[in-house]
Amino acid sequence: MTALAIAADHAGVALKAELVTELKKLGHEVIDLGPDSTASVDYPDFATRVTDLVVKGTPALGILICGTGIGMSIAANKVHGIRAAICRTEFEARATRQHNDANVLCLGQRVTGGGVALEIAKVFLTTSFEGGRHQARIDKVKALEAKR
Ligand code: RB5
């Protein structure tokens, strides 16, 4: 099974709790980096909790949840080495692992229901990067990062 770090903001904390429970039941190793309440917090603070670990590869994958998934993805994608993808469908989750080697899944609690979000997360956590022609594209993304 897969190790992952997960965090949210106040608008994603309920979906986070649901995913933590269900992903643990499935045997995934889940590192829950908060928050534990619905008190208002700022999504960049919790995005970096996950990205700090994922850039080191321990664990290699993360999940970030806010109201829309958008704020978390904007914040996470500022971090060199992070490829964060907002996914609304299993198709996107599969494609972004296979083609983009995405290492952070972003979900929106106000957009995606718990059942669908769990299926998306399961696909994201169990799908591998295909490499090949996609690796050359990732290398170009890394070259863009290096220019910043
Ligand atoms: C919080 O109200 C909301 O703005 C946040 O969770 C997120 O959706 C931002 O992108």
Side-chain angles (χ1 to χ4, degrees), residues 78-81 138-148:
K78 297 294 181 196
V79 179
H80 283 200
I138 297 301
D139 292 344
K140 289 189 179 187
V141 170
K142 288 180 177 168
L144 289 176
E145 281 179 338
K147 282 186 192 167
R148 281 211 210 153

Side-chain angles (χ1 to χ4, degrees), residues 67-112:
T68 59
I70 297 170
M72 283 297 195
S73 72
I74 290 171
N77 278 316
K78 297 294 181 196
V79 179
H80 283 200
I82 294 298
R83 290 175 298 282
I86 307 170
C87 296
R88 310 295 194 210
T89 65
E90 290 176 52
F91 173 80
E92 291 168 302
R94 186 173 298 106
T96 201
R97 287 289 304 127
Q98 290 175 334
H99 293 197
N100 311 125
D101 198 15
N103 49 15
V104 174
L105 168 65
C106 296
L107 295 165
Q109 180 182 296
R110 294 170 179 164
V111 182
T112 304

